[in-house]
């Protein structure tokens, strides 16, 4: 029996896992706002006084 | 001495924010200031970067007081009311509560930074998280150390007035729909990707040989993946097609579903019979691409709807109710839903009237422009009716409620709009019209192909017919419109033109009749000084008097006269200040009796006026302007003419529209003379200028014109909304009322009428692109069908050619130049 019979189900299983992960993140609301996080990273953590 | 003051401003949209470079909204432009900001976030961020290295209390105080000047002082006490708290506030952990606000005035990234710094400004706030897409902020705070009203107040003072979040139900439904679409995309994408991987293995096997065992394994695997893809995400198309068949209307889902099922049937048959080609890779990619197009379109529509609902939330939520129906009773702040007919309500000057009712105390000027479009304030005396949605301008009043909610006049107009939207017959889209014939023709050709090749055996005949169905798969046709429209919608939105549906592009591309509302559309919608005749030296005195009152004409006069700081008179110069009800104001200044008011001052027999000034007053009235008389010791010494300034870009835009073949007219609720004057000035034919129209009459005019050709209605008030909904294309301009935005299919976020022209030229280009994509895909299909009928193309070649046609259509759609040029280039096409 060829390794294909093991590799193919594994590949499909991993794909299914990825889709499940994506579905979970969508349901969690992680993809609801794609605009703000991109801007938020531009902010500095703390304004440091120069003097 | 005659002084002429012509106050024409330069185009507003030219002013850029010093910090972020976005256009500055006209009401935030600080004249003669060196730096201009589009929002308080930018102003704050800019000052932080420029001037100082930390948050010192003095700076914060400055920022706050600056912000306070901009926003009307509003009380947020009602947010602490248990009724509000129960509905919108959740306790996340003991002592910490969480709520959500919809924020007004959010423009750019700087706003985000300032708002998320709230915990540093206000002790007790734990976290603030902003969502720029939904324009909402989630706040968590210690209930023991601070109150919700204080948080709201701070946000308001920073320049972001908070509103309760939108009706939860609709927002949730949209969220669910968006999630569903994303999940469908993910599943389709995964299926397509994996089927392609298997396909690669199959193609390798095709060239280098593969044992039958693996060949079948791979074929069944891709068949399985394709089935998942068609049954789950692809079911959208089949459901759409089924609906189209049931309602006997044509829909692009129909040919798409037919193509998909033909390919799938052929693929499955070949998989089971272990021969020929399978088309699962093409099918899954096709489903994925179609869904991507749909998701983009859906996202754009949601964005547009959100912009609209933000304005909805700006109607007053809190009402100051008298505890007992007697004039001197105490007031309490309650949510608007709590108001019943018979309640007495206190409305301050400058507030929006929340209910229909009768005035029981006080007299005031009311701005009815949202209902009637009339730009002049209307005087209301005790016992007379006031309507919700209108603005109380001059003084504090008490109203006895008669009607609330949807029973009010404004509510009735909104219902009219809803009905109009429901009864609107959908314009049959070009794609659907072609798609309809297309499906029939392809089926007939397939039958013919079978007939031709029957002599060579059934299998050959079916094979050629299938090749034809695959190669003629109208995927390019199905993609052409949604993609072109989605691209155009996206770019237009970036330019401040929100287009709700693709039909708009089709309608706007053909010239027809365009009706413009006057107030707020052609004009700026607020009073300003147009001309000043008479004694120039008395201006500081006028300014001093007008500073004593809150009145739109007074504030317009003060800002237009622009008396220099040095010339201003001290408050001590004024004595014996009295308000002449319904006429104006009177005071003694440096021993002289000065009256400033309407022409009713002339009714007093003692008032004298020179012939020169009398002619001027009559002349102003003829031009539809409001006159303000200045009387010094019973002698009229100066006349100021106030009016609604015509937008600087109106005339050129209308000339350009006429040049493009449009007929332009005015529909106004304002007096005929005012409308005629404005129309004449910007070059509109007198027979197309109609003034003094009720909302119902506006609707009738639009319906009357709407039978034979494109009718575009442009407006902003609620009074326009029925007409906006009835028109083939309704365009709502910025600052419009919520109902008008709902009714319109286009919403302009930028000031001025220039955007209308841009929308029209952009639509023309978009329609041209759609036609080009159609031409390409039809030519391709016709050519390919001929080859298939001739038996030249086998199904595998068809499956390879199919995505190529889709890609070429996509490329053409993406190359559409509509809405890409800068506004200045658009002006001279």
């Amino acid at each position: 029996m060829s390794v294909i019979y093991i590799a193919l189900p594994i590949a499909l299983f991993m794909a299914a896992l990825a889709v499940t992960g994506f579905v979970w993140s969508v349901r969690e609301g992680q993809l609801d706002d794609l605009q703000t996080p991109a801007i938020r990273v531009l902010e500095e953590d703390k304004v440091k006084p120069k003097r | 001495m005659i002084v002429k003051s012509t106050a024409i401003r330069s185009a507003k949209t030219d002013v850029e924010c010093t910090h972020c470079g976005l256009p500055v909204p006209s009401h935030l432009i600080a004249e003669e200031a060196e730096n201009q900001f589009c929002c308080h976030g930018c102003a704050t961020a800019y000052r932080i970067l420029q001037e100082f290295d930390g948050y010192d209390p003095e700076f914060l105080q400055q920022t706050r007081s600056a912000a306070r000047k901009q926003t009307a002082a509003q009380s947020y006490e009602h947010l602490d009311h248990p009724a509000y708290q129960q509905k919108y506030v959740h306790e996340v952990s003991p002592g910490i509560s969480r709520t959500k606000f919809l924020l007004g005035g959010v423009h750019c990234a700087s706003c985000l930074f300032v708002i998320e710094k709230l915990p540093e400004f206000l002790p007790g706030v734990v976290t603030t998280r902003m969502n720029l897409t939904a324009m909402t902020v989630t706040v968590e705070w210690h209930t023991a150390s601070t109150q919700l009203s204080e948080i709201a107040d701070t946000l308001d003072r920073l320049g972001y007035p908070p509103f309760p979040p939108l009706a939860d139900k609709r927002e949730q439904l949209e969220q669910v729909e968006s999630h569903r679409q994303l999940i469908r995309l993910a599943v389709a994408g995964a299926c397509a990707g994996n089927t392609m991987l298997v396909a690669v293995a199959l193609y390798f096997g095709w060239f280098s040989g593969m044992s039958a065992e693996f060949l079948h394994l791979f074929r069944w695997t891709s068949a399985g993946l394709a089935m998942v893809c068609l049954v789950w995400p692809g079911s959208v198309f089949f459901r759409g097609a089924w609906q189209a068949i049931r309602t006997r209307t044509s829909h692009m889902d129909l040919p798409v579903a037919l193509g998909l099922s033909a390919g799938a049937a052929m693929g499955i048959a070949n998989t089971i019979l272990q021969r020929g080609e399978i088309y699962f890779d093409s099918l899954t990619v096709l489903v994925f691409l179609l869904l991507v197009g749909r998701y983009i379109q859906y996202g754009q529509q949601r964005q547009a709807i959100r912009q609209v609902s933000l304005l909805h939330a700006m109607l007053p939520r809190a009402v100051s109710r008298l505890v007992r129906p007697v004039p001197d009773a105490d007031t309490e702040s309650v949510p608007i839903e709590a108001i019943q007919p018979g309640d007495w309500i206190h409305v301050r000057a400058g507030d929006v009237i929340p209910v229909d009712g009768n005035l029981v105390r006080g007299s005031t000027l009311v701005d009815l422009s949202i209902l009637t479009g009339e730009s002049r304030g209307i005087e209301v005396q005790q016992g007379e009716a006031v309507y919700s949605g209108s603005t109380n301008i001059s003084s504090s009043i008490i109203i006895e409620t008669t009607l609330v909610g949807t029973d009010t006049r404004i509510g009735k107009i909104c219902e009219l709009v809803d009905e109009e939207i429901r009864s609107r017959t959908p314009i049959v889209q070009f794609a659907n019209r072609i798609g309809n014939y297309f499906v029939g023709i392809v089926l007939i050709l397939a039958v013919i192909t079978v007939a031709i090749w029957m002599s060579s055996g059934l299998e050959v005949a079916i094979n050629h017919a299938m090749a034809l169905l695959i190669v003629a798969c109208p995927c390019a046709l199905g993609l052409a419109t949604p993609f072109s429209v989605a691209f155009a919608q996206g770019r237009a939105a970036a330019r401040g033109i929100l287009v709700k549906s693709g039909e708009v592009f089709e309608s706007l591309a053909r010239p027809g009749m365009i009706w413009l509302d006057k107030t707020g559309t052609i004009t700026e919608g607020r009073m300003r000084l147009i001309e000043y005749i008479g004694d120039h030296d008395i201006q500081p005195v006028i300014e001093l008097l007008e500073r004593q009152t809150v009145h739109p004409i007074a504030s317009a006069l003060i800002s237009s006269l622009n008396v220099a700081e040095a010339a201003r008179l001290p408050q001590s110069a004024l004595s014996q200040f009295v308000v002449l009800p319904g006429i104006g104001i009177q005071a003694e200044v440096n021993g002289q009796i000065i009256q400033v008011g309407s022409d009713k001052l002339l009714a007093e027999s003692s008032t004298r006026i020179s012939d020169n000034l009398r002619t001027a007053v009559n002349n102003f009235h003829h031009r539809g302007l409001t006159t303000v008389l200045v009387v010094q010791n019973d002698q009229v010494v100066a006349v100021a003419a106030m009016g609604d300034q015509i937008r600087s870009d109106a005339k050129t835009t209308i000339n350009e529209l006429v040049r493009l073949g449009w007929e332009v007219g005015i529909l106004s609720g304002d007096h005929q003379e005012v409308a005629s004057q404005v129309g004449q000035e910007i070059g509109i034919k007198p027979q197309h200028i109609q003034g003094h129209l009720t909302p119902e009459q506006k609707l009738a005019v639009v319906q009357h014109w709407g039978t034979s050709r494109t009718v575009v209605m442009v407006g902003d008030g609620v009074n326009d909304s029925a007409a906006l909904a009835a028109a083939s294309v309704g365009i709502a301009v910025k600052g419009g009322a919520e109902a008008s935005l709902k009714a319109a299919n286009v919403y302009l976020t930028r000031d001025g009428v220039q955007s209308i022209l841009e929308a029209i030229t952009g639509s023309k280009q978009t329609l041209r692109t759609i036609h080009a994509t159609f031409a390409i895909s039809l030519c391709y299909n016709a050519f390919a069908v001929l080859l298939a009928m001739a038996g030249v193309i086998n199904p595998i070649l068809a499956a390879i050619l199919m995505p190529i046609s889709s890609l070429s259509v996509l490329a053409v759609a993406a190359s559409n130049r509509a809405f890409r040029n800068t506004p200045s280039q658009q002006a001279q096409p």
Side-chain angles (χ1 to χ4, degrees):
Chain A
M1 184 156 130
S2 170
V3 71
I4 281 285
Y5 287 104
I6 300 161
L8 197 63
I10 288 179
L12 289 178
F13 175 72
M14 280 166 72
L17 214 62
V19 170
T20 316
F22 184 82
V23 169
W24 172 80
S25 69
V26 167
R27 294 235 163 103
E28 281 283 293
Q30 292 187 20
L31 292 156
D32 289 350
D33 180 18
L34 303 173
Q35 228 181 326
T36 320
I39 294 168
R40 194 177 280 136
V41 294
L42 297 174
E43 190 188 13
E44 284 177 64
D45 288 338
K46 201 98 185 169
V47 180
K48 286 179 197 134
K50 277 181 196 159
R51 278 162 275 144
Chain B
M1 182 178 64
I2 291 182
V3 177
K4 227 178 163 187
S5 144
T6 42
I8 295 175
R9 287 190 184 182
S10 60
K12 295 273 148 47
T13 43
D14 294 348
V15 182
E16 280 184 359
C17 175
T18 312
H19 183 66
C20 69
L22 292 172
V24 180
S26 62
H27 64 277
L28 286 180
I29 291 177
E31 270 174 56
E32 287 161 19
E34 194 184 336
N35 298 315
Q36 305 282 350
F37 300 102
C38 69
C39 56
H40 298 299
C42 280
T44 312
Y46 183 79
R47 294 185 62 179
I48 289 171
L49 291 170
Q50 294 292 312
E51 291 171 16
F52 95 128
D53 308 317
Y55 298 107
D56 72 335
E58 199 189 327
F59 169 75
L60 264 184
Q61 205 51 51
Q62 278 176 357
T63 322
R64 282 177 181 175
S65 57
R68 191 177 307 169
K69 272 187 221 151
Q70 301 275 1
T71 51
Q74 202 196 335
S75 159
Y76 286 99
E77 274 163 36
H78 64 281
L79 298 188
D80 296 329
H81 197 276
Y84 183 91
Q85 299 252 333
Q86 203 192 346
K87 197 170 170 195
Y88 294 114
V89 179
H90 314 279
E91 191 161 16
V92 279
S93 59
I96 293 180
S97 289
R98 179 193 288 168
T99 196
K100 217 185 212 182
F101 285 124
L102 192 65
L103 288 187
V106 178
H107 278 92
C108 57
S110 310
C111 302
L112 173 81
F113 300 154
V114 171
I115 291 163
E116 295 201 344
K117 283 268 162 22
L118 191 67
E120 294 176 36
F121 295 162
L122 192 65
V125 178
V126 185
T127 56
T128 45
R129 295 302 265 182
M130 181 77 205
N131 180 334
L132 275 179
T133 317
M135 299 235 202
T136 55
V137 67
T138 309
V139 185
E140 283 181 23
W141 77 102
H142 288 290
T143 33
S145 57
T146 189
Q147 292 227 303
L148 188 56
S149 55
E150 203 180 335
I151 296 169
D153 196 42
T154 312
L155 283 170
D156 191 351
R157 282 189 293 172
L158 283 170
Y160 307 102
F163 304 98
L166 296 180
D168 289 333
K169 209 170 153 196
R170 208 188 68 198
E171 186 76 347
Q172 263 169 16
L173 280 178
E174 280 192 0
Q175 197 86 288
V176 167
E177 176 59 25
S178 167
H179 285 178
R180 209 177 280 152
Q181 293 209 11
L182 266 177
I183 289 169
R184 274 197 215 119
L185 259 186
V187 175
C191 289
N194 284 288
T195 316
M196 298 269 269
L197 283 178
V198 175
V200 169
L202 280 171
Y203 287 132
F204 267 109
W206 203 51
F207 288 114
S208 55
M210 184 189 264
S211 75
E213 183 193 1
F214 292 136
L215 188 70
H216 292 143
L217 174 70
F218 286 143
R219 288 181 140 216
W220 278 106
T221 310
S222 50
L225 284 167
M227 281 311 107
V228 173
C229 188
L230 286 177
V231 170
W232 187 356
S235 63
V236 186
F237 304 107
F238 293 108
R239 254 180 282 146
W242 175 235
Q243 228 141 39
I245 292 168
R246 250 194 353 197
T247 57
R248 285 171 205 286
T249 50
S250 78
H251 190 276
M252 273 325 282
D253 277 352
L254 198 63
V256 170
L258 190 81
L260 287 178
S261 36
M266 182 82 173
I268 289 173
N270 282 347
T271 311
I272 294 170
L273 298 173
Q274 307 189 353
R275 64 166 167 80
E277 285 306 318
I278 54 170
Y279 311 102
F280 298 126
D281 47 345
S282 309
L283 290 176
T284 48
V285 170
L286 189 62
V287 169
F288 178 65
L289 280 178
L290 288 169
L291 287 176
V292 168
R294 283 202 181 185
Y295 185 69
I296 293 173
Q297 209 178 345
Y298 177 73
Q300 294 294 345
Q301 280 169 7
R302 247 182 112 194
Q303 184 78 14
I305 290 166
R306 254 206 213 102
Q307 296 271 359
V308 172
S309 1
L310 186 69
L311 275 131
H312 166 60
M314 285 184 185
L315 292 172
R317 305 300 305 164
V319 178
S320 152
R321 180 173 69 180
L322 277 66
V323 280
R324 279 171 295 122
V326 286
D328 298 318
D330 291 334
T331 59
E332 55 176 355
S333 186
V334 294
I336 191 165
E337 290 83 3
I339 302 295
Q340 299 286 330
D343 283 351
W344 286 31
I345 288 169
H346 179 241
V347 183
R348 292 174 307 173
D351 282 358
V352 173
I353 297 170
V355 294
D356 282 7
N358 295 315
L359 209 62
V360 289
R361 186 180 234 198
S363 66
T364 186
L365 272 181
V366 171
D367 176 7
L368 274 173
S369 60
I370 201 167
L371 281 163
T372 62
E374 192 166 3
S375 54
R376 297 177 189 174
I378 302 292
E379 267 183 64
V380 186
Q381 302 290 339
Q382 198 162 325
E384 289 180 342
V386 289
Y387 298 102
S388 68
S390 53
T391 312
N392 172 26
I393 310 173
S394 56
S395 58
S396 231
I397 50 169
I398 293 174
I399 303 167
E400 183 180 357
T401 310
T402 51
L403 297 168
V404 292
T406 49
D407 297 330
T408 59
R409 204 171 149 192
I410 202 171
K412 286 270 158 38
I413 296 176
C414 290
E415 271 178 14
L416 202 67
V417 173
D418 277 350
E419 261 168 51
E420 189 56 53
I421 291 172
R422 271 198 295 274
S423 66
R424 175 160 41 181
T425 46
I427 299 171
V428 181
Q429 281 193 10
F430 191 61
N432 287 352
R433 285 201 299 268
I434 292 191
N436 213 8
Y437 297 116
F438 193 84
V439 179
I441 291 170
V442 167
L443 283 177
I444 293 167
L445 288 179
V447 172
I448 294 173
T449 313
V450 172
I452 292 173
W453 291 91
M454 210 51 180
S455 54
S456 316
L458 182 67
E459 199 178 325
V460 176
I462 296 279
N463 209 30
H464 286 318
M466 273 306 183
L468 183 142
L469 273 180
I470 299 280
V471 85
C473 170
C475 51
L477 209 58
L479 280 173
T481 316
F483 262 96
S484 303
V485 167
F487 277 122
Q489 274 180 327
R491 292 211 184 100
R495 305 201 51 76
I497 302 165
L498 300 171
V499 179
K500 275 196 206 158
S501 70
E503 298 168 4
V504 170
F505 295 122
E506 196 183 342
S507 310
L508 281 184
R510 277 188 300 275
M513 182 77 210
I514 179 162
W515 290 109
L516 300 160
D517 173 45
K518 185 187 70 72
T519 316
T521 307
I522 301 173
T523 66
E524 288 175 356
R526 57 201 160 101
M527 284 276 184
R528 49 189 298 118
L529 184 68
I530 304 287
E531 216 168 312
Y532 181 93
I533 293 179
D535 188 359
H536 203 63
D537 300 329
I538 203 155
Q539 284 189 0
V541 180
I542 304 173
E543 200 253 2
L544 177 65
L545 249 75
E546 294 291 2
R547 254 193 289 151
Q548 314 305 315
T549 71
V550 272
H551 191 284
I553 291 182
S555 51
L557 249 182
I558 293 170
S559 61
S560 307
L561 285 177
N562 211 358
V563 175
E565 193 79 49
R568 283 197 190 153
L569 292 171
Q571 192 71 33
S572 56
L574 181 113
S575 61
Q576 295 179 3
F577 177 80
V578 277
V579 173
L580 311 169
I583 300 174
I585 46 180
Q586 176 182 326
E588 200 180 306
V589 181
N590 296 332
Q592 315 256 26
I593 300 211
I594 307 285
Q595 295 168 316
V596 180
S598 70
D599 42 348
K600 284 183 191 161
L601 282 170
L602 290 175
E604 288 195 27
S605 52
S606 57
T607 312
R608 298 182 304 274
I609 183 165
S610 66
D611 288 344
N612 196 2
L613 286 177
R614 188 179 287 279
T615 325
V617 169
N618 289 338
N619 185 23
F620 288 146
H621 283 179
H622 184 68
R623 282 168 58 188
L625 299 171
T626 306
T627 48
V628 176
L629 269 53
V630 183
V631 183
Q632 183 178 24
N633 296 334
D634 292 337
Q635 171 74 39
V636 179
V637 291
V639 177
M642 310 294 293
D644 200 356
Q645 180 80 34
I646 296 170
R647 290 187 193 277
S648 50
D649 58 355
K651 193 169 182 175
T652 47
T653 307
I654 281 155
N655 285 342
E656 188 56 35
L657 284 173
V658 171
R659 202 184 65 80
L660 289 171
W662 289 80
E663 273 192 77
V664 187
I666 291 182
L667 292 185
S668 177
D670 215 337
H671 294 288
Q672 180 70 46
E673 66 207 62
V674 183
S676 300
Q677 179 65 32
V678 168
Q680 218 177 338
E681 223 160 292
I682 55 174
I684 290 176
K685 286 185 200 156
Q687 69 265 30
H688 287 326
I689 302 170
Q690 304 198 27
H692 217 88
L693 297 177
T694 62
E696 292 81 4
Q697 286 169 329
K698 284 193 180 187
L699 173 63
V701 172
V702 168
Q703 279 172 339
H704 169 72
W705 282 82
T707 45
S708 51
R709 54 184 175 156
T710 307
V711 176
V712 180
M713 174 75 203
V714 189
D716 65 336
V718 171
N719 59 321
D720 299 319
S721 38
L724 283 174
S728 7
V729 178
I731 302 180
V733 298
K734 183 183 176 158
E738 170 242 0
S740 69
L741 301 179
K742 254 191 199 160
N745 8 40
V746 181
Y747 173 48
L748 307 177
T749 61
R750 279 191 295 147
D751 274 334
V753 280
Q754 167 100 56
S755 301
I756 301 168
L757 190 63
E758 212 178 306
I760 285 173
T761 45
S763 299
K764 258 189 167 171
Q765 280 170 306
T766 305
L767 198 71
R768 218 179 295 145
T769 310
I770 293 176
H771 286 174
T773 49
F774 272 141
I776 289 171
S777 66
L778 281 179
C779 282
Y780 159 82
N781 274 326
F783 187 63
V785 161
L786 280 179
L787 290 181
M789 284 179 79
V792 179
I793 297 180
N794 61 359
I796 183 169
L797 202 60
I800 292 169
L801 285 176
M802 193 171 65
I804 294 176
S805 78
S806 311
L807 283 178
S808 63
V809 163
L810 276 186
V812 173
S815 70
N816 179 13
R817 299 202 52 78
F819 304 110
R820 269 190 188 169
N821 304 346
T822 60
S824 53
Q825 283 172 304
Q826 285 279 349
Q828 298 106 31

